[in-house]
Amino acid sequence: MLKTRLDLDRIHAARQVIDPIFLDTPLYRCDALGRELGCTVSIKLETANPVRSFKARGTELVASLLTGQGRTAVVCASAGNLGQALGWSGRRRGLDVTVVAARQAPAAKLDRIRALGAELDLVDGDFEMARERAAALARSRGIRLVEDSLDIETCEGAATIGLELAGAGVDFDAVLIALGGGAMATGIGHVLRSLAPGVETICVQPVGAPAMTRSWHERRVVSTESTDTIADGVAGRHPIAAVLDDLLVVADDAVLVQEASIIAGMRLLLEHTGLVVEPSAALGVAAVLEDRDRFVGRHIVTVICGGNVDLDAYHRWVWRGPESCPVSGPLGCHPFAVASTFKGTDHSL
């Protein structure tokens, strides 16, 4: 029995609560991407749903619990995807949803939160300031605060992805998971540890937002003063101790990747899979680009966790010229050049 906050029986039961539109998402092998990366690559696609991310697996559980308790209102802090998911799940069940977000969050995410009928409260600052504001609103209004990754429903909802991977009848060696607050990593990791212990769980974070990865390596909470990454969905500064404790049990590794590799990953996903993804969803591909030798001859699954991207920003990142690439020098921003630049470089710490 794994010593985490998660429970495998509850995770199985969660599938009865989550709207089927978010379940049994596509899992398929992409040979074109695999040839480019030098390994066998399968994609677990979590963007083909009404909120374009995996987050509704958790908010479906949260909203069901709240309505069962007779609650009528809820508030959360969000970088964008959780707010959309809670807005969708809350509207379906008659909950009044307030989402606190940073004013500089991607405009497309903020617009979709509003379109789902949620009240949007914007703060000047980053996600951590939004968390503080959401907590204050919950106290003043006497309503439930949903905290992603801390609330076990967000982890166990995400863990249903792990059930689908473990039950797919596909032999794979490793799963690459974007690491932010930790809900998806701890959820999938818990299931794989329980049902497919031979599969390696590898968490991936940007070097510009390394708090949870550094915490995992040091086995204690390590906060950072700031973040500097285009992957806004994983850009937290203060890891939650209880989530870290779970991650230490279920994760095999946590690595950091450069911004240029994230952009290269987004471009490769567009070119070889036709998927327009947000930066956080390209972290798995970025990890392979930076350490090809580790994955040669192996079958990996990368979880495409979100597709809520501002198109103007996406265009700048994916199609911009060498002069604006994060990698300086004559190699420019071509994905193959980026892969060559980082081959053999250790960004795990």
Side-chain angles (χ1 to χ4, degrees), residues 86-102:
L86 190 59
W88 193 94
S89 297
R91 182 171 69 176
R92 179 172 172 243
R93 293 171 174 83
L95 290 171
D96 293 326
V97 176
T98 300
V99 178
V100 184

Side-chain angles (χ1 to χ4, degrees), residues 256-278:
L256 299 174
V257 295
Q258 298 281 352
E259 297 293 291
S261 298
I262 300 171
I263 292 170
M266 294 169 70
R267 185 183 288 115
L268 288 174
L269 284 164
L270 176 63
E271 180 179 356
H272 295 295
T273 72
L275 297 174
V276 175
V277 305
E278 61 188 78

Side-chain angles (χ1 to χ4, degrees), residues 97-147:
V97 176
T98 300
V99 178
V100 184
R103 197 174 303 277
Q104 68 267 28
K109 292 184 178 182
L110 300 181
D111 288 344
R112 290 173 189 141
I113 290 170
R114 292 188 185 97
L116 287 164
E119 175 188 345
L120 189 59
D121 190 307
L122 299 179
V123 299
D124 294 314
D126 63 7
F127 175 72
E128 300 301 340
M129 296 184 71
R131 282 172 64 175
E132 294 174 6
R133 171 65 176 165
L137 285 177
R139 289 192 298 270
S140 66
R141 297 180 182 179
I143 61 177
R144 168 69 184 271
L145 170 66
V146 173
E147 294 192 72

Side-chain angles (χ1 to χ4, degrees), residues 298-314:
R298 304 181 74 191
H299 185 174
I300 67 151
V301 175
T302 183
V303 181
I304 306 300
C305 56
N308 288 301
V309 64
D310 182 272
L311 290 180
D312 289 337
Y314 183 87

Side-chain angles (χ1 to χ4, degrees), residues 146-301:
V146 173
E147 294 192 72
D148 198 14
S149 302
L150 179 60
D151 286 353
I152 198 64
E153 295 85 6
T154 62
C155 303
E156 292 182 339
T160 58
I161 300 171
L163 291 179
E164 293 166 18
L165 291 173
V170 178
D171 291 328
F172 48 89
D173 302 298
V175 178
L176 295 159
I177 306 169
L179 178 61
M184 183 166 59
T186 58
I188 295 175
H190 181 95
V191 172
L192 294 181
R193 267 288 193 274
S194 303
L195 303 180
V199 176
E200 190 177 17
T201 298
I202 303 172
C203 306
V204 190
Q205 219 172 14
V207 72
M212 185 61 97
T213 296
R214 292 191 182 279
S215 298
W216 186 87
H217 282 279
E218 297 191 27
R219 304 187 68 84
R220 64 181 181 89
V221 171
V222 177
S223 297
T224 60
E225 292 297 321
S226 62
T227 60
D228 183 16
T229 179
I230 62 171
D232 59 286
V234 295
R237 294 189 286 114
H238 300 304
I240 298 169
V243 183
L244 175 61
D245 289 343
D246 293 340
L247 194 67
L248 288 169
V249 174
V250 303
D252 293 291
D253 200 3
V255 301
L256 299 174
V257 295
Q258 298 281 352
E259 297 293 291
S261 298
I262 300 171
I263 292 170
M266 294 169 70
R267 185 183 288 115
L268 288 174
L269 284 164
L270 176 63
E271 180 179 356
H272 295 295
T273 72
L275 297 174
V276 175
V277 305
E278 61 188 78
S280 299
L283 287 169
V285 175
V288 180
L289 284 173
E290 293 199 13
D291 196 359
R292 287 176 178 267
D293 290 345
R294 176 176 185 173
F295 299 102
V296 169
R298 304 181 74 191
H299 185 174
I300 67 151
V301 175

